[in-house]
């Protein structure tokens, strides 16, 4: 590998110097499929204007973000050559030039060589051979075409080349650029123990490299947070889609962790240099907590006052905190939490997953893992009466059923209370969470049923 | 000699820590396998297509590894190809897990020639006169989906233009490329040890479905319900002698960006190859400015798209159904054990060890309940008010109604699935209907639609309207040879209600219902008024 760039430099691109061996690659990976690569190499400056080529840069490099830093040097021009060397491209570049044709006599196998000038290469190739004009391979017989040289701007791989002038000597130079194709997120494994009401949580950072290039022995830092990128709207960073039930972070934390920070972002440096191979998924642990307290509950949410002709499963919700006291004791970068529970033989079984957003330390989380088989709620509009031209009365009955051999508590949320909706009667005390919704915590006995009724006084 | 030793020391110091003395160890084949299969989120019945399975499985494998002291890379080969590498859990390593990797860069002809770009290889050509092979040294300049360009002492040319056999021989390039996607773990063991390691991971390309049969007994009052679980593995890896479980219930999946190899395959072809009449016109470059950020923006767009839940998957009804449970129903097996509670889900165990083979469907018994009493109900719904629509003649649906409780010889969780309702006629079971059952817990009611009845006719007329009051007449007639229990639903919206009626009615789930028993050949007329006052 070392030998060949020299051959190439000598024979094909007389002026170019290949940037020598890497002395180190540093990668900073952001959570949104974007990375900053710093590629440090030794460059021998000859004091004159010279072109330096950087091979093995990310195949998805954003060339407009590339910059080279070295002492005693000025940059004259920076080029990113992505004109891929292919049979068609080399022919198109040979227009007006002389090529060699090698034909084989089909009867004897004798080879004959001819010089030809390429007149045009628009789809097919038109050649001038002496005084006659021919279309290449129009007779359907094989003809080998031999070119003398590769056009100077054509590469087998995307290559960054920089024209510069520096004081003579060999020095380190750092090339920095942004590239998509490298990204990471967190993956959590949460094992819930029903008997003790605790969870064990392992956190892994999962980084993926789909950039087309392998980064050998890279020092890697992961950044949690979402820096604004070109083409994204400012502000209004949205948490990932979570579905309706379970709200992810229900109470934002106010504790500061011990993690390194960069502005408002958290940094997760990997412990040691590692090779991030192309098409690789790599995981490194960052969190391992045992026995944090957690609660298992049920929640159901109705967007409007509706009748359902069959019972609807309540969502299974697990609640825990990431506070230093009685919690996981770390901030949680955005990712996916997978819940497991042990079956009767002690084997951990998967019971559902959900996405969480970046969660500061000290937050309370409520994560829905799915729909409960045995805990259901059937909402019914019992009556709807016009009180007068401006007011209506709606009586709702929610039938909660529990086919489990133990009592459960279901959090019933009735939303869609637009305007000045009042509750004029209810079978148990509700909590008005905000103008739009109301919450009841309803206990359902083992293998039993509870009816919750409420009368809403509304404008519509 | 000393100089050499010093050089080695210097080299090893220069080498990064990771590369020092790292040994590569393969784990044994799995000795104990457990697989738990989960359904596609959108599945509630219908057939399974092996080529497009939307469910997944959690696979647990126990393997033995001889771990050397110090740093080593442990390879787990033969994991299911649908593995989600980020879900892998490795336990039982004395040195813990430093890093988990999954390498998807595979060894194939394309990756081999790609890896050889810029390298010197041997080109084996054919002498056109003698037909004998000729070996030439060549350097591969470029290899892409557009073609392969190489350089020899003669000059630069393309592969496959000579019309005679040509191929490259490589001396290296296979390093770092694996035969199959491989999961590996970096560990640092304090001592050499033989460890039993458990690997747990989620893999896609599995699914299962529940299929029930309800055979109506000659008495017309009870039915025998049987159910089968059909499970399928659409992966290329078989799980031999596996403890097999199935989980029923709705569980959340988080949808994430999938990770694909976007490198095109290398294609060796001569250009141009076509004769004049075959040559396509070269596409002209459109004269417009192209944003340099176009690619990036597109990428961002795809990103936003990828978080949309895309659970809906069209079912191809033309595909073959799983082998019909009907055919296997002859000797009644004992009722299978009830499922185990797993959090808020249900876990079913396949009683014996079984092999979940690649590209295979397999069936196991789910329920076997005889003599389930049911009511046969004829029902239809009419509107509480209509204007100028004239007569309404709603269709009449036949419902088989029972309750999932012990009194009805049921009382066990029934995961959602497709039912086939059968009744014997001429000594043969005849298919009556194929309704879908949703996840049904103990003590819930069960209503199975058993088709439309042509024998029962319902005609609704508005006799008179006055302000917000409508006078309605409904004529119901029964031409069937049996007495029927008819239920007429009058769904009411807004302030509409039934004001007066000639016959009593009840309210069920917020909807007024008239219960009308009707003898064979009888007809009756209901009269009532609805109002919006």
């Amino acid at each position: 590998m070392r030998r060949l760039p020299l051959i190439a430099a000598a024979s094909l691109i007389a002026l170019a110097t290949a940037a020598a061996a890497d002395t180190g690659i540093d990668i900073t990976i952001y959570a949104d499929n974007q990375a900053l690569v710093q590629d440090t190499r030794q460059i021998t400056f000859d004091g004159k204007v010279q072109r330096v080529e950087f091979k093995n840069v990310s195949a998805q490099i954003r060339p407009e973000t590339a910059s080279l830093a070295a002492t005693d040097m000025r940059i004259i021009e920076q080029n990113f050559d992505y004109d891929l060397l292919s049979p068609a491209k080399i022919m198109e570049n040979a227009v007006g030039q002389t090529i060699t044709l090698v034909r084989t006599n089909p009867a004897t196998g004798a080879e004959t060589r001819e010089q030809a000038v390429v007149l045009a290469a628009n789809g097919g190739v038109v050649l001038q051979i002496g005084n006659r004009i021919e279309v290449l391979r129009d007779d359907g017989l094989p003809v080998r075409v031999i070119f003398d040289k590769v056009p100077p701007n054509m590469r087998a791989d995307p290559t960054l080349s920089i024209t510069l002038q520096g004081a003579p000597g060999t020095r380190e130079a750092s090339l920095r650029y942004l590239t998509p194709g490298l990204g990471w997120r967190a993956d959590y494994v949460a094992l819930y123990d029903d008997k003790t009401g605790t969870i064990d949580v392992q956190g892994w950072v999962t980084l993926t490299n789909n950039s087309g290039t392998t980064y050998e022995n890279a020092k890697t830092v992961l950044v949690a947070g979402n820096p604004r990128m070109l083409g994204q709207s400012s502000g209004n960073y949205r948490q990932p889609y979570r579905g309706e039930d379970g709200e992810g972070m229900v109470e934002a934390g106010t504790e500061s962790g011990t993690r390194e920070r960069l502005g408002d972002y958290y940094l997760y440096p990997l412990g040691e240099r590692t090779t991030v191979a192309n098409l690789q998924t790599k995981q490194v642990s960052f969190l391992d907590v045992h026995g944090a307290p957690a609660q298992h509950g049920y929640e159901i949410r109705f967007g409007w006052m509706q009748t359902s002709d069959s019972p609807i499963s309540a969502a299974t919700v697990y609640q825990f905190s990431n506070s230093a006291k009685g919690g996981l004791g770390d901030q949680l970068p955005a990712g996916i939490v997978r819940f497991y529970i042990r079956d009767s033989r002690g084997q951990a079984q998967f019971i559902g997953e959900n996405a969480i957003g970046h969660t500061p330390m000290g937050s309370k989380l409520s994560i829905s893992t799915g729909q409960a088989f045995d805990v259901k709620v059937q909402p019914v509009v019992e009556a709807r009466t016009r009180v007068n031209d401006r007011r209506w009365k709606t009586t709702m009955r929610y039938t909660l059923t529990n086919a489990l051999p133990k009592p459960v508590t279901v959090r019933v949320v009735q939303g869609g209370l637009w305007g000045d909706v009042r509750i004029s009667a209810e079978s148990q005390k509700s909590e008005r969470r905000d103008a739009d919704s109301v919450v009841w915590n309803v206990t359902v006995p083992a293998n039993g049923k509870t009816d919750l009724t409420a009368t809403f006084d509304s404008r519509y | 000699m000393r100089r050499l030793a010093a050089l080695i020391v210097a080299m090893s110091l220069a080498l990064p820590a990771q590369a020092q003395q790292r040994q590569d160890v393969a784990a044994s084949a799995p000795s104990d396998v457990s697989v738990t299969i989960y359904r596609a989120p959108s599945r509630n019945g219908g057939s399974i297509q092996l080529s497009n399975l939307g469910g997944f499985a959690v696979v647990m494998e126990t393997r033995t590894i001889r771990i050397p002291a110090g740093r080593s890379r442990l390879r787990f080969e033969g994991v299911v190809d649908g593995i989600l590498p980020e879900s892998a859990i490795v336990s039982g390593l004395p040195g813990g897990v430093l890093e988990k990797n999954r390498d998807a860069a595979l060894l194939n002809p394309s990756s081999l020639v790609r890896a050889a770009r810029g390298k010197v290889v041997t080109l084996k050509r054919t002498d056109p006169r003698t037909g004998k092979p000729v070996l030439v040294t060549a350097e591969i300049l470029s290899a892409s989906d557009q073609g392969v360009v190489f350089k020899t002492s003669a000059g630069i040319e393309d592969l496959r233009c000579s019309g005679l056999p040509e191929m490259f021989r490589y001396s290296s390039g296979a390093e770092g490329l694996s035969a199959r996607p491989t999961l590996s773990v970096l560990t640092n063991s304090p001592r050499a040890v033989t460890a039993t390691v458990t690997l747990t991971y989620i893999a896609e390309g599995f699914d299962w479905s529940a299929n029930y049969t309800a055979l109506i007994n000659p008495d017309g009052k009870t039915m025998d319900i049987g159910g089968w679980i059909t499970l399928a593995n659409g992966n290329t890896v078989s799980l031999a002698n596996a403890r097999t479980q199935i989980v029923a219930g709705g569980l959340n999946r988080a949808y994430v960006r999938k990770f694909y190899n976007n490198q095109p395959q290398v294609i060796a072809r001569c250009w141009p190859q076509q004769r004049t009449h075959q040559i396509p016109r070269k596409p002209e470059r459109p004269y417009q400015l192209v944003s340099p950020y176009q690619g990036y923006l597109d990428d961002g767009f795809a990103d936003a798209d990828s978080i949309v839940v895309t659970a809906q998957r069209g079912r191809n009804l033309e595909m073959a159904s799983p082998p019909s449970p009907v055919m296997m129903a002859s000797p009644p097996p004992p009722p299978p054990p009830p499922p185990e509670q797993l959090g808020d889900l249900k876990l079913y165990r396949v009683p014996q060890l079984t092999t979940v083979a690649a590209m295979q469907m397999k069936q196991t018994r789910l329920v076997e309940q005889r003599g389930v009493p049911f009511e046969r109900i004829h029902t239809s719904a009419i509107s509480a008010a209509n204007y100028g629509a004239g007569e309404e003649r709603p269709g009449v649906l036949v419902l088989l109604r029972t309750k999932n409780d012990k009194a009805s010889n049921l009382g066990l969780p029934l995961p959602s699935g497709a039912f086939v309702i059968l009744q014997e006629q001429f000594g043969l079971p005849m298919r009556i209907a194929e309704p879908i059952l949703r996840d049904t817990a103990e003590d819930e009611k069960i209503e199975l639609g058993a088709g439309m009845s042509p024998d029962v006719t319902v005609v609704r007329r508005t006799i008179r309207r006055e302000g917000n009051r409508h006078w309605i007449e409904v004529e119901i007639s029964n031409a069937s040879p049996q007495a029927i229990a008819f239920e007429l639903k009058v769904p009411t919206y807004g302030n509409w209600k039934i004001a007066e009626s000639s016959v009593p009615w009840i309210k069920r789930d917020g909807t007024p219902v008239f219960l009308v028993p009707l003898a064979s050949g009888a007809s009756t007329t209901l009269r009532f008024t609805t109002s919006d006052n």
Side-chain angles (χ1 to χ4, degrees), chain A residues 1 5 13 88 120 139 182-183 185 189 216 225 291 336 364 386 396 400 417 430:
Chain A
M1 192 63 211
I13 313 145
D139 54 5
L182 281 157
R185 65 156 194 269
V189 177
E216 302 275 353
I336 292 175
K364 247 176 83 178
R386 182 150 50 206
M396 290 289 301
L400 289 84
L417 309 183
S430 62

Side-chain angles (χ1 to χ4, degrees), chain A residues 83-136:
Chain A
D83 213 358
L84 190 72
L85 177 62
S86 68
K89 280 283 164 58
I90 193 169
M91 184 69 85
E92 282 167 18
N93 268 272
V95 171
Q97 292 171 13
T98 304
I99 58 171
T100 307
L101 305 180
V102 182
R103 298 181 199 268
T104 310
N105 183 323
T108 63
E111 282 187 344
T112 46
R113 285 174 182 251
E114 269 181 321
Q115 298 284 308
V117 176
V118 183
L119 294 182
N122 296 315
V125 177
V126 183
L127 303 168
Q128 175 158 20
I129 305 163
N131 292 327
R132 41 179 225 281
I133 291 176
E134 266 187 29
V135 174
L136 180 64

Side-chain angles (χ1 to χ4, degrees), chain B residues 278-428:
Chain B
Q278 299 165 317
I279 292 172
R281 211 170 83 108
K282 189 185 172 189
E284 280 175 31
R285 186 181 282 272
Y287 291 93
Q288 72 177 49
L289 284 175
V290 177
S291 161
Y293 306 119
Q294 196 69 51
Y296 174 66
L297 287 179
D298 283 348
D299 194 49
F301 192 68
D303 201 17
D305 247 3
S306 67
I307 53 175
V308 173
V309 178
T310 54
Q312 218 62 33
R313 213 173 265 212
R315 265 186 292 136
N316 189 346
L317 294 172
E318 281 164 19
M319 291 298 292
S321 302
S324 170
V326 185
M327 305 304 159
M328 313 180 185
S330 35
E340 182 182 323
Q341 192 70 23
L342 177 72
D344 285 309
L345 308 170
K346 301 289 175 186
L347 181 90
Y348 295 85
R349 291 181 194 278
V350 176
Q352 68 286 352
L353 292 186
T354 180
T355 295
V356 184
M359 296 305 280
Q360 186 193 53
M361 294 213 260
K362 187 184 252 337
Q363 292 192 308
T364 183
R365 202 71 180 150
L366 171 65
V367 289
E368 184 64 48
Q369 304 294 128
R370 307 200 146 234
V372 177
F374 68 94
E375 288 175 81
R376 196 185 177 93
I377 310 284
H378 288 69
T379 181
S380 51
I382 55 162
S383 49
N386 77 28
Y387 295 90
E391 273 182 11
E392 270 181 38
R393 288 170 180 269
V396 175
L397 181 72
V398 184
L399 279 182
L400 306 187
R401 184 183 289 160
T402 184
K403 203 173 177 203
N404 187 10
D405 59 8
K406 294 275 184 285
S408 304
N409 284 334
L410 284 170
L412 72 175
L414 298 172
S416 70
F419 250 91
V420 179
I421 299 177
L422 304 163
Q423 190 161 14
E424 266 191 28
Q425 193 72 280
F426 316 121
L428 287 172

Side-chain angles (χ1 to χ4, degrees), chain A residues 4 85 282 298 350 376 382, chain B residues 38 99 118 142 344 439 507:
Chain A
L4 282 156
L85 177 62
K282 182 183 287 295
Y298 300 90
F350 178 65
K376 297 193 180 185
E382 282 284 10
Chain B
Y38 297 75
E99 208 180 276
S142 171
D344 285 309
D439 276 347
K507 212 164 184 187

Side-chain angles (χ1 to χ4, degrees), chain A residues 87 137 141-145, chain B residues 123-125 147-150 157-168 170 266-273:
Chain A
R137 299 188 190 109
L141 290 177
V143 180
R144 282 166 58 203
V145 176
Chain B
L123 174 66
K124 187 178 154 198
R125 313 191 95 159
V148 177
V149 183
F150 61 89
E157 58 186 304
D158 309 339
L159 194 65
R160 299 284 144 81
C161 280
S162 67
L164 292 168
E166 281 179 333
M167 64 174 259
F168 291 127
Y170 311 94
V266 172
I267 300 169
R269 61 173 172 207
C270 185
W271 186 91
Q273 267 176 319

